[in-house]
């Protein structure tokens, strides 16, 4: 029977008409070639099924760029036109040709400078040979200690002879200074600038504002600023051997930074208290300006170059502080002003203490004096610098606060422009958050749970809180509140307690500054559910403050310190929220639901310290509820009288906050 049954089934599958008919239908389906239109429809359906399994067509804007500083694209290679003099040293008075050199020598130098490319190749070869010889010399020093001692003694003899030559040159230059007329104040300068000659130049400039002497000293100042970066001299310069003594170097720098602005103002007839850029722009076509303009530009260019080369914070702070006094001259040179702003933004973000403060002050003064012409440039540069330097908050927490507050102060100079740009920045934060909610990709979630993203939210919360009373920033307020709630709900676990507490603090701050009710009780009460049970947890305290971290380690969750932080933070934030609305007519209804929840927490908690804090808070809230209810029963108006409702107990609230 078994074999017969199998044969019958095989025969039926092969020969029954219904089976054959089904096979023909299937073969016709598979053998039919699909048209191009059908192929396109199939591909579109597959894509739709992959992106939307429920076949619902939801149009979502594709958003892949999660970098926070990709908002404002700016071409840093853009160079503003500057019709000023060429770079280099200034041409000096023709009466000093015996000091500078003959015209034939200058022409020869200019002719040779055209072959700079060939000279650079030769310089590379010479440097390579010198490196080889230096290596051989070091090997000889290691092998033979006596040889190294001989070299040291030889170097000391050379230095002594150089000092003797310099001192003799000083005496000769001093002998030449006395009979020279004031109009040729620079003729005492030899091929090597000495300390005595610098003193003589400074005296003539300070007493008489002598332009030839100022030209000589500005050339010296340029060489002093470029001393470490240039190995060869420039034609037309007073110095062929450079500045060899640190004392002379410091004298030139200190005098120019101290007295240059005052001297320029005296030559142009500008008062020392004038800070309007129009003062200089009005002098653009005058003979005074045309004669002093190259000197001013050389001084500013050299100082900006110095800021790019020096690493000592005290020298940088002093230089940028003194350059701040000459801001009115900077507007005549847009390219130099642009370079100075870039350097100032960098020093503001990376410096510390007085250097960072002075760098921001020069940015602030430029924006204030330029009538918002440079506002966009400064906004973009400072915002990008803030984002790029706000990720290492554990090491420089106070500095991040300074950067945030100073940026907000800069935005307050033009709130209308700042609010438009803030809208763009907040929308970008919202798109990143939306992408995180939809995709849950690791990279996007990591971007949201980062110090850069958190500090950006904190930045705009501070800006909105500072200006919402005087300007209409309600759209920004609504958007930032939605982002904060989204961040708090995206990371609900106990390890993200610091992030949740920070979100509640932001909401309380926005509510207090705007006067708009923002509910936070649900977020606060969720904090009390983080293992606040009969189990008191292990002994120990949280080792790091909540304000300096975003995510807690797992081993902290079982400690007593974590539970204490949950209770104390929840009560503190709820107290702040209730204090903002403690004299509002609807306070009894606002506090009813949180009190019910707190009483349940109080009943199931066995830790006496927790119970004591919660019980005291409940008692205080109930006392305030009774006070508001008593005052509410005495009012003569109805709930429909909106104006009377808003003014309920506002006098008492205002007096208490004062």
């Amino acid at each position: 029977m078994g074999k017969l049954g199998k044969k019958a089934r095989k025969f039926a599958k092969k020969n029954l008409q219904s089976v054959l008919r089904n096979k023909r239908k299937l073969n016709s389906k598979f053998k039919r070639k699909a048209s191009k239109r059908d192929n396109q429809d199939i591909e579109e359906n597959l894509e739709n099924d992959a992106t939307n399994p429920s076949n619902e067509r939801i149009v979502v804007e594709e958003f892949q760029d999660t970098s926070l500083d990709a908002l404002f694209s700016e071409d840093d290679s853009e160079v503003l036109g500057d019709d000023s003099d060429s770079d280099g040293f200034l041409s000096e008075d023709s009466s000093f040709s015996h000091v500078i050199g003959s015209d034939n020598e200058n022409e020869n130098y200019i002719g040779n400078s055209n072959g700079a490319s060939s000279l650079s190749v030769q310089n590379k070869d010479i440097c390579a040979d010198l490196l080889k010889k230096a290596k051989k010399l070091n090997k000889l020093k290691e092998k033979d200690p006596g040889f190294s001692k001989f070299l040291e003694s030889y170097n000391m003899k050379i230095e002594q002879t150089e000092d003797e030559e310099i001192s003799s040159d000083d005496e000769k230059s001093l002998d030449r200074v006395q009979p020279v007329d004031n109009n040729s104040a620079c003729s005492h300068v030899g091929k090597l600038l000495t300390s005595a000659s610098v003193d003589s130049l400074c005296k003539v400039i300070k007493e008489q504002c002598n332009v030839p002497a100022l030209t000589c000293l500005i050339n010296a100042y340029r060489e002093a600023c470029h001393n470490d970066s240039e190995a060869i001299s420039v034609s037309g310069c007073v110095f062929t051997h450079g500045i060899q003594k640190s004392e002379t170097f410091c004298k030139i720098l200190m005098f120019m930074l101290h007295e240059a602005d005052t001297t320029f103002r005296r030559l142009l007839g500008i008062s020392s208290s004038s800070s309007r850029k129009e003062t200089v722009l009005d002098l653009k076509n005058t003979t005074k300006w045309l004669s002093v303009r190259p000197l001013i530009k050389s001084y500013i260019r050299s100082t900006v170059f110095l800021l790019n080369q020096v690493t000592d914070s005290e020298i940088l702070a002093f230089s940028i502080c003194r350059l701040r006094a000459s801001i009115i001259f900077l507007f005549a040179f847009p390219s130099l002003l642009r370079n100075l702003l870039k350097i100032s933004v960098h020093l503001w973000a990376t410096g510390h203490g007085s250097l960072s403060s002075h760098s921001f002050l020069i940015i602030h003064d430029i924006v204030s004096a330029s009538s918002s012409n440079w506002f966009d440039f400064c906004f973009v540069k400072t915002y990008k610098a803030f984002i790029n330097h706000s990720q290492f908050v554990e090491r420089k927490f106070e500095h991040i606060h300074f950067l945030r507050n100073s940026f907000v102060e800069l935005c307050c100079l033009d709130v209308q422009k700042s609010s438009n740009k803030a809208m763009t920045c907040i929308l970008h934060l919202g798109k990143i958050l939306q992408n995180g909610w939809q995709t849950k990709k690791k990279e996007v979630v990591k971007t949201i749970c980062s110090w850069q993203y958190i500090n950006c939210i904190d930045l705009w919360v501070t800006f909105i809180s500072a200006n919402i009373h005087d300007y209409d920033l309600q759209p920004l307020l609504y958007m930032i509140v939605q982002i904060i709630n989204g961040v708090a709900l995206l990371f609900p676990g106990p390890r993200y307690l610091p992030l949740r507490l920070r979100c509640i603090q932001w909401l309380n701050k926005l509510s207090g500054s705007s006067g708009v009710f923002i509910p936070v009780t649900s977020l606060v009460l969720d904090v009390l559910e983080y293992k606040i049970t009969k189990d008191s947890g292990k002994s120990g305290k949280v080792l790091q403050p909540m304000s300096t971290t975003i995510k807690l380690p797992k081993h902290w969750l079982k400690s007593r310190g974590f539970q204490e932080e949950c209770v104390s933070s929840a009560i503190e934030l709820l107290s702040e929220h209730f204090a903002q609305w403690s004299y509002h007519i609807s306070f009894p209804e606002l506090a009813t639901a949180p009190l019910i929840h707190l009483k349940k927490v109080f009943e199931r908690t066995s830790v006496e310290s927790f119970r004591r804090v919660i019980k005291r808070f409940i008692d205080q809230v109930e006392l305030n509820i009774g006070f508001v209810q008593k005052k509410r029963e005495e009012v003569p108006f109805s709930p429909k009288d909106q104006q009377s409702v808003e003014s309920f107990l506002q006098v008492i609230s205002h007096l208490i906050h004062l």
Side-chain angles (χ1 to χ4, degrees):
M1 288 295 292
K3 291 181 179 180
L4 184 60
K6 288 181 181 179
K7 290 180 180 180
R9 285 194 293 274
K10 286 181 181 180
F11 178 82
K13 287 180 181 180
K14 288 182 180 180
N15 300 310
L16 284 179
Q17 292 183 357
S18 59
V19 174
L20 295 175
R21 186 165 56 250
N22 289 333
K23 284 184 178 181
R24 283 195 299 271
K25 288 182 179 180
L26 290 172
N27 290 334
S28 64
K29 285 183 179 181
F30 285 111
K31 288 179 181 179
R32 185 175 64 88
K33 292 183 179 180
S35 63
K36 292 183 179 180
R37 183 179 298 176
D38 292 336
N39 287 333
Q40 291 176 358
D41 294 339
I42 292 170
E43 290 176 359
E44 290 176 0
N45 292 332
L46 289 174
E47 290 177 358
N48 292 333
D49 292 339
T51 56
N52 188 12
S54 60
N55 292 328
E56 296 178 1
R57 296 182 63 84
I58 301 174
V59 179
V60 179
E61 183 181 359
E62 187 177 358
F63 184 79
Q64 296 179 351
D65 192 2
T66 59
S67 59
L68 294 169
D69 58 348
L71 271 176
F72 305 104
S73 60
E74 184 186 7
D75 187 9
D76 289 336
S77 63
E78 178 188 357
V79 178
L80 299 179
D82 191 2
D83 56 352
S84 54
D85 305 317
S86 60
D87 290 349
F89 291 94
L90 301 172
S91 60
E92 299 182 7
D93 198 289
S94 59
S95 60
F96 311 132
S97 59
H98 66 282
V99 177
I100 300 172
S102 63
D103 294 337
N104 293 331
E105 291 174 355
N106 295 337
E107 290 175 0
N108 292 335
Y109 180 85
I110 294 170
N112 292 333
S113 65
N114 293 329
S117 59
S118 60
L119 287 175
S120 62
V121 176
Q122 294 177 6
N123 289 336
K124 289 180 180 178
D125 296 337
I126 292 170
C127 289
D129 294 337
L130 288 174
L131 287 174
K132 291 179 181 178
K133 292 179 180 179
K135 289 180 180 179
K136 291 180 180 179
L137 187 63
N138 291 330
K139 289 180 180 179
L140 288 173
K141 287 181 181 180
E142 292 176 358
K143 291 181 179 179
D144 190 358
F147 178 69
S148 61
K149 291 180 180 179
F150 167 75
L151 287 177
E152 290 177 0
S153 61
Y154 183 73
N155 290 331
M156 289 176 65
K157 290 180 181 178
I158 291 175
E159 290 176 359
Q160 289 176 0
T161 55
E162 286 180 351
D163 291 338
E164 291 174 359
E165 291 175 359
I166 291 171
S167 61
S168 62
D169 289 338
D170 289 345
E171 294 175 357
K172 292 177 183 178
S173 63
L174 288 172
D175 293 336
R176 288 199 302 268
V177 169
Q178 295 174 358
V180 172
D181 186 59
N182 289 334
N183 294 329
S184 59
C186 292
S187 61
H188 67 281
V189 182
K191 289 188 175 182
L192 183 63
L193 193 67
T194 61
S195 179
S197 57
V198 170
D199 292 337
S200 178
L201 280 174
C202 294
K203 184 178 179 181
V204 173
I205 294 169
K206 211 168 185 180
E207 293 177 353
Q208 303 174 15
C209 271
N210 188 279
V211 175
L214 181 61
T215 304
C216 289
L217 199 60
I218 286 179
N219 281 337
Y221 179 68
R222 185 195 182 279
E223 180 162 337
C225 294
H226 292 70
N227 193 33
D228 294 333
S229 61
E230 291 185 355
I232 58 173
S233 60
V234 180
S235 177
C237 176
V238 182
F239 322 104
T240 58
H241 299 292
I243 301 167
Q244 296 183 357
K245 290 294 183 181
S246 60
E247 181 183 356
T248 309
F249 176 84
C250 293
K251 278 185 179 181
I252 295 170
L253 288 181
M254 293 300 292
F255 179 82
M256 287 303 299
L257 292 172
H258 265 296
E259 301 295 334
D261 181 72
T262 305
T263 306
F264 294 145
R265 288 174 184 266
R266 286 170 62 188
L267 290 172
L268 294 172
I270 301 173
S271 64
S272 58
S273 60
S274 178
S275 59
R276 295 174 63 252
K277 68 171 184 176
E278 290 79 12
T279 307
V280 172
L281 297 179
D282 293 341
L283 296 172
K284 262 196 163 183
N285 297 322
T286 62
T287 55
K288 282 184 180 180
W289 171 254
L290 294 176
S291 61
V292 180
R293 183 178 183 273
L295 305 177
I296 297 174
K297 187 190 174 185
S298 179
Y299 163 71
I300 294 174
R301 186 197 294 120
S302 300
T303 310
V304 171
F305 184 86
L306 180 69
L307 293 175
N308 243 341
Q309 301 297 318
V310 176
T311 57
D312 186 84
S313 59
E314 293 183 2
I315 297 176
L316 285 171
F318 177 74
S319 302
I320 206 165
C321 181
R322 294 307 305 158
L323 193 57
R324 184 185 166 205
S326 303
I327 281 178
I328 60 171
F329 300 121
L330 280 162
F331 292 107
F333 312 104
S335 61
L336 291 177
L337 179 58
R338 183 186 181 91
N339 292 335
L340 176 61
L341 282 173
K342 289 181 180 180
I343 296 170
S344 300
V345 169
H346 175 72
L347 295 176
W348 165 72
T350 58
H352 293 281
S354 61
L355 175 59
S356 186
S357 301
H358 287 304
S359 301
F360 172 71
L361 286 175
I362 201 168
I363 299 169
H364 183 278
D365 290 351
I366 289 172
V367 174
S368 300
S370 63
S371 302
S372 300
N373 292 336
W374 285 91
F375 179 81
D376 293 341
F377 179 81
C378 293
F379 182 95
V380 173
K381 289 294 180 184
T382 50
Y383 185 67
K384 286 185 174 182
F386 175 81
I387 292 173
N388 293 330
H389 294 88
S390 63
Q391 51 188 344
F392 305 109
V393 71
E394 295 90 348
R395 287 182 283 175
K396 48 180 183 177
F397 188 69
E398 294 180 358
H399 184 61
I400 296 298
H401 276 213
F402 167 76
L403 296 181
R404 179 200 66 190
N405 295 335
S406 54
F407 179 80
V408 171
E409 185 179 348
L410 184 68
C411 292
C412 291
L413 295 176
D414 194 336
V415 178
Q416 293 296 339
K417 276 190 175 182
S418 300
S419 59
N420 294 333
K421 293 184 178 297
M423 177 72 73
T424 305
C425 298
I426 294 173
L427 279 173
H428 187 67
L429 295 175
K431 288 179 180 179
I432 295 174
L433 181 63
Q434 184 183 14
N435 192 17
W437 272 98
Q438 290 177 351
T439 62
K440 299 294 176 67
K441 290 183 179 179
K442 186 177 180 180
E443 297 81 7
V444 184
V445 174
K446 188 177 180 181
T447 301
I448 299 171
C449 188
S450 66
W451 277 116
Q452 288 181 316
Y453 193 90
I454 299 305
N455 285 323
C456 284
I457 297 177
D458 186 49
L459 177 73
W460 297 121
V461 167
T462 306
F463 169 74
I464 294 169
S465 302
N467 296 284
I468 197 166
H469 270 301
D470 303 322
Y471 298 90
D472 183 18
L473 302 179
Q474 297 298 326
L476 297 181
L477 175 66
Y478 174 77
M479 291 168 58
I480 201 69
V481 168
Q482 296 298 316
I483 290 174
I484 293 170
N485 283 321
V487 172
L489 296 175
L490 184 62
F491 303 99
R495 293 187 64 186
Y496 296 97
L497 173 66
L499 180 59
R500 179 172 286 252
L501 296 179
R502 192 179 291 269
C503 291
I504 299 169
Q505 289 171 354
W506 288 331
L507 295 176
N508 279 337
K509 186 176 181 178
L510 291 169
S511 179
S513 60
S514 63
V516 177
F517 176 75
I518 301 175
V520 299
T521 52
S522 61
L523 297 175
V524 176
L525 296 176
D526 287 344
V527 172
L528 292 173
E529 299 299 324
Y530 291 155
K531 294 187 178 181
I532 307 302
T533 59
K534 294 182 179 180
D535 184 14
S536 60
K538 297 180 181 180
S539 60
K541 295 183 178 180
V542 178
L543 302 178
Q544 189 173 357
M546 291 288 180
S547 59
T548 60
T549 186
I550 299 176
K551 187 178 180 181
L552 296 174
K554 289 183 179 180
H555 66 273
W556 283 8
L557 304 182
K558 298 180 181 180
S559 65
R560 171 70 69 84
F562 172 75
Q563 297 187 8
E564 290 177 354
E565 189 69 29
C566 289
V567 174
S568 61
S569 299
I571 298 300
E572 181 181 352
L573 294 172
L574 204 56
S575 300
E576 183 181 355
H577 177 63
F578 283 171
Q580 295 172 359
W581 307 99
S582 57
Y583 291 99
H584 197 270
I585 198 169
S586 63
F587 180 78
E589 288 75 19
L590 169 66
T592 299
L595 280 182
I596 294 172
H597 189 89
L598 285 173
K599 289 177 180 178
K600 291 181 179 179
V601 174
F602 175 76
E603 290 175 358
R604 69 171 183 260
T605 302
S606 60
V607 182
E608 186 59 31
S609 59
F610 299 166
R611 291 172 60 87
R612 185 167 56 251
V613 172
I614 296 172
K615 182 67 169 62
R616 180 168 177 76
F617 179 73
I618 292 173
D619 293 341
Q620 294 297 319
V621 174
E622 288 178 344
L623 286 174
N624 197 81
I625 289 174
F627 172 76
V628 174
Q629 284 179 341
K630 184 179 178 181
K631 293 292 182 181
R632 193 165 65 175
E633 292 171 358
E634 298 173 358
V635 298
F637 53 84
S638 66
K640 293 182 180 181
D641 190 353
Q642 188 67 27
Q643 186 175 359
S644 299
V645 169
E646 293 295 332
S647 62
F648 175 75
L649 295 178
Q650 291 304 306
V651 177
I652 300 175
S653 175
H654 181 69
L655 291 174
I656 290 175
H657 284 91
L658 287 177

